[in-house]
Amino acid sequence: MAEAEAVQLKEEGNRHFQLQDYKAATKSYSQALKLTKDKALLATLYRNRAACGLKTESFVQAASDASRAIDINSSDIKALYRRCQALEHLGKLDQAFKDVQRCATLEPRNQNFQETLRRLNTSIQEKLRVQFSTDSRVQKMFEILLDENSEADKREKAANNLIVLGREEAGAEKIFQNNGVALLLQLLDTKKPELVLAAVRTLSGMCSGHRARATVILHAVRIDRICSLMAVENEEMSLAVCNLLQAIIDSLSGDDKQEHRGKEEALVLDTKKDLKQITSHLLDMLVSKKVSGQGRDQALNLLNKNVPRKDLAIHDNSRTIYVVDNGLRKILKVVGQVPDLPSCLPLTDNTRMLASILINKLYDDLRCDPERDHFRKICEEYITGKFDPQDMDKNLNAIQTVSGILQGPFDLGNQLLGLKGVMEMMVALCGSEREMDQLVAVEALIHASTKLSRATFIITNGVSLLKQIYKTTKNEKIKIRTLVGLCKLGSAGGTDYGLRQFAEGSTEKLAKQCRKWLCNTAIDTRTRRWAVEGLAYLTLDADVKDDFVQDVPALQAMFELAKTSDKTILYSVATTLVNCTNSYDVKEVIPELVQLAKFSKQHVPEEHPKDKKDFIDMRVKRLLKAGVISALACMVKADSAILTDQTKELLARVFLALCDNPKDRGTIVAQGGGKALIPLALEGTDVGKVKAAHALAKIAAVSNPDIAFPGERVYEVVRPLVSLLDTQRDGLQNYEALLGLTNLSGRSDKLRQKIFKERALPDIENYMFENHDQLRQAATECMCNMVLNKEVQERFLADGNDRLKLVVLLCGEDDDKVQNAAAGALAMLTAAHKKLCLKMTQVTTQWLEILQRLCLHDQLSVQHRGLVIAYNLLAADAELAKKLVESELLEILTVVGKQEPDEKKAEVVQAARECLIKCMDYGFIKPVS
């Protein structure tokens, strides 16, 4: 009875459907479904209700009903097609495609199915294209980032993707074109650190190497807003904004090293106004109370990097003049800050040192005396304007300013010391009851005693004062500083053993106290830094440095301090290490002049017994064992203006001293010394770059380049080594650079190509002419590796040069090693080009005699190379082969070929036999039966 009623309801539903009353039809089908259990009828009812769902746009219900019909009969073609239609409307194109694909398989001639299949395929391809296009990705990322309800990990992923996209030119342009700057500003408005950071880093990528985009971003974000973001306490944020500003400055000033083409090249933008505005805002940041210590440091870093000229050959120093006129007083205010005063600006440990370095760079960048006089007058007016008998704090700022300038341009600082009241005020502050006053005065005295003439003045006036403070004060901070003052005055004679300022043993006592403070972790880092400062002076004394390197805890404490965020310690640590390794410049002592000086009763510098080579080597061993390389590697990475070119030079000197013994070079490489040396060889003072390049050469000469300079770094080593192939460099530097290049050129053709592109070939050839045996040998060995390169071979093939002649003549040298290298080069050249085989016979009349000597050589390696050359000549040309057979060479080949090949001679005998076989192939000789 129920089944009959179900069939009746189905028929009723069909009538409603034909009349387009889909709701009534759906109702009839739903009632019928409740009454029947017949599978065929159920499938029909679900299929029909799915059709109603499609008509009423209830696509979810339609897909569900069609699926139920398919569950009953998997080949139900109508149900499959209806589900396909429903899924297509729901946007599930891949699932819809599968259903219609099944339909087309069941009914291949159905045009409707084929058309749907084509349409869905096109839609899917378009969807994939859109899904993976940059525009859509950019939009998606911003949607996730700006949606407060999106998951944290999704936001983090979107932020990272946006940053990566911003670094690519195509990605940056897409972000820019798709209203990206406005959306990034919205991210900045959220005030959420992680989103602001992502926005800043993306903007930084977009500005790099694109002047027009950088200009738009600068005006859209506004310089005041950028500076306020850099002023925050968050170090990561401050550094990111600093990088953004640097990218903008590089793009605006054309320092982005990018080639501009098309529209970008056509844009003529006057960027001077924008650059001046940036400089002005950075100067304002220096004296603002709202700016954090981190922000102030980054502003000083940017000024240090971008204001002074990078090359003094550039005439225009207008940026420096602008900063001197509009910002020198602001910089002096930073230098004169006393951390313990309530009015002090927020500072870090590095701030005042960065300001001193900026003053030094600005002063060095001035071109003439009137400019320097103007600079000095501003400083004098600022300092004298601070002196106030009624306000001790102002006097304190004045002396602190002098102290800061003394750490910058020494000459200017010494002129300011001569100002009326400056030295008197220092002495008065030393006698003050306030510990803060004593602290500032003692530091000023320390910096004032830089020059020996000044130091002697202070020795007569200030030593008793410093000793008095040292004995009476209970404050450890002041105690350490007074000790450093005494250390500095005690070392005023430098390395001269005969010019000791203090009594025998006093310096050792001072050093012992410094080491004690250095190891005391209870004392704050800033104060312990002064202990290193003291040792930087005292280690000029050989007894002190010998004791220091034996004190492993003190060494390691110093290395740990070098790795901290306080970068003001870098110079002191570097100086101490230079003293311990004796890597400072030593004037050559000419015996005749010494005799003359003694005769005229002049002072003669004396060398300390512990400054002899044996003691230096022992100190180097101890430093390496204590972990000096990891500390040096960490110091080199310091991204701060405090890592000055002078400090880099000191670090390069230390590295060179440490690399002196070939046995130690493996340890240096293992601890990352090779990688750390590369930046020192590329940037810094000329002396520093040469020292670092020499250290690199020492490492490259004996180490596996793949381990010493992993990855792409090995290509950066080539240029410093090539720079040592200069007649102005000494013979040892030339020799070790050639050894390093020989090692590198033996690794890969890519490295040989790099050496060739650095134009090293003419220099290597010059050293092949050298009278010095070792230099000639090293250059010939290097050329032996270089001839594997096709471009080098082309140079030998070219007409009008004597390159091949030189190599042939070197094969006739008496030096076995030179012969071996030259024969190797000739063997490879003649194997590579038949033309060179013929050319070899034309460059010198002695070629045959030289070849015969090679084939008869006592040394098997040279003999083998000679026989290979002979084979190459025989194989190159029948006429040439005939000429060789008619000479004594045939007899030589026969004698060598008839030998019994033992293990050592196997290669030689085999080579001779191959030559004889070649002669038989030509028919010049016949085998003996």
Side-chain angles (χ1 to χ4, degrees), residues 13-230:
N14 289 350
R15 284 195 296 275
H16 287 308
F17 191 87
Q18 284 165 353
L19 294 167
Q20 296 182 356
D21 187 356
Y22 304 119
K23 282 188 178 178
T26 302
K27 191 176 179 184
S28 298
Y29 295 140
S30 299
Q31 286 171 341
L33 282 165
K34 291 173 186 174
L35 299 171
T36 185
K37 286 184 180 176
D38 180 67
K39 285 193 172 182
L41 185 57
L42 280 171
T44 306
L45 290 167
Y46 279 126
R47 189 173 64 211
N48 290 356
R49 195 167 75 171
C52 293
L54 288 171
K55 295 294 183 183
T56 56
E57 296 186 358
S58 306
F59 300 118
V60 175
Q61 186 63 48
S64 173
D65 285 343
S67 294
R68 287 182 178 184
I70 294 161
D71 287 344
I72 296 166
N73 178 9
S74 60
S75 299
D76 189 335
I77 202 160
K78 286 185 179 177
L80 281 165
Y81 190 64
R82 283 168 193 169
R83 185 169 75 173
C84 158
Q85 289 172 300
L87 290 169
E88 185 182 354
H89 282 103
L90 289 169
K92 298 179 180 179
L93 301 182
D94 49 345
Q95 292 176 35
F97 185 82
K98 284 178 185 174
D99 282 349
V100 77
Q101 208 172 24
R102 178 104 174 95
C103 294
T105 308
L106 293 168
E107 280 186 30
R109 293 185 178 179
N110 189 318
Q111 288 301 311
N112 201 10
F113 293 162
Q114 293 297 339
E115 183 56 40
T116 309
L117 202 60
R118 276 195 293 274
R119 191 183 71 250
L120 280 174
N121 185 38
T122 309
S123 299
I124 288 168
Q125 293 305 320
E126 180 61 22
K127 186 182 176 185
L128 286 171
R129 193 188 68 75
V130 171
Q131 194 175 341
F132 290 105
S133 75
T134 314
D135 297 15
S136 140
R137 276 162 68 202
V138 169
Q139 216 59 42
K140 191 90 176 138
M141 285 174 210
F142 279 117
E143 280 170 21
I144 294 167
L145 289 168
L146 293 167
D147 180 9
E148 291 187 4
N149 301 318
S150 56
E151 295 165 24
D153 58 335
K154 273 190 177 178
R155 284 180 112 169
E156 190 182 341
K157 195 175 178 183
N160 289 335
N161 288 342
L162 198 62
I163 294 163
V164 171
L165 206 60
R167 287 177 187 156
E168 300 164 6
E169 176 53 35
E173 194 55 35
K174 288 288 181 193
I175 296 171
F176 192 75
Q177 299 290 355
N178 286 286
N179 196 31
V181 177
L183 292 167
L184 286 165
L185 285 172
Q186 284 183 44
L187 285 183
L188 292 177
D189 291 335
T190 61
K191 304 274 170 67
K192 292 182 178 174
E194 69 278 8
L195 296 184
V196 174
L197 205 56
V200 167
R201 285 175 175 162
T202 307
L203 287 167
S204 189
M206 289 169 70
C207 290
S208 294
H210 201 292
R211 189 177 297 179
R213 224 165 29 221
T215 308
V216 171
I217 287 169
L218 177 65
H219 288 276
V221 185
R222 299 192 327 276
I223 182 63
D224 54 332
R225 187 173 189 182
I226 295 173
C227 289
S228 67
L229 282 170
M230 195 163 78

Side-chain angles (χ1 to χ4, degrees), residues 837-892:
C837 295
L838 297 167
K839 193 176 178 182
M840 177 185 159
T841 63
Q842 296 158 9
V843 290
T844 172
T845 53
Q846 300 167 22
W847 70 272
L848 189 55
E849 185 192 332
I850 289 168
L851 180 60
Q852 289 169 356
R853 279 180 62 193
L854 289 177
C855 293
L856 285 169
H857 207 282
D858 298 338
Q859 231 183 65
L860 292 174
S861 63
V862 180
Q863 189 181 15
H864 179 247
R865 291 173 185 204
L867 290 164
V868 170
I869 297 166
Y871 178 82
N872 294 339
L873 296 182
L874 287 165
D877 181 70
E879 284 298 313
L880 179 56
K882 191 177 180 184
K883 196 174 180 181
L884 289 170
V885 170
E886 287 168 357
S887 73
E888 292 174 9
L889 188 69
L890 180 61
E891 196 180 327
I892 295 166

Side-chain angles (χ1 to χ4, degrees), residues 899-913:
Q899 290 178 13
E900 281 301 315
D902 58 19
E903 199 177 317
K904 288 179 182 175
K905 290 185 179 178
E907 276 187 332
V908 171
V909 175
Q910 183 60 31
R913 287 176 181 177

Side-chain angles (χ1 to χ4, degrees), residues 286 296-304 334 351 354-355 358:
L286 299 185
R296 214 175 309 280
D297 283 4
Q298 298 306 344
L300 284 163
N301 271 327
L302 285 166
L303 290 165
N304 265 306
V334 177
T351 311
L354 284 167
L358 180 55

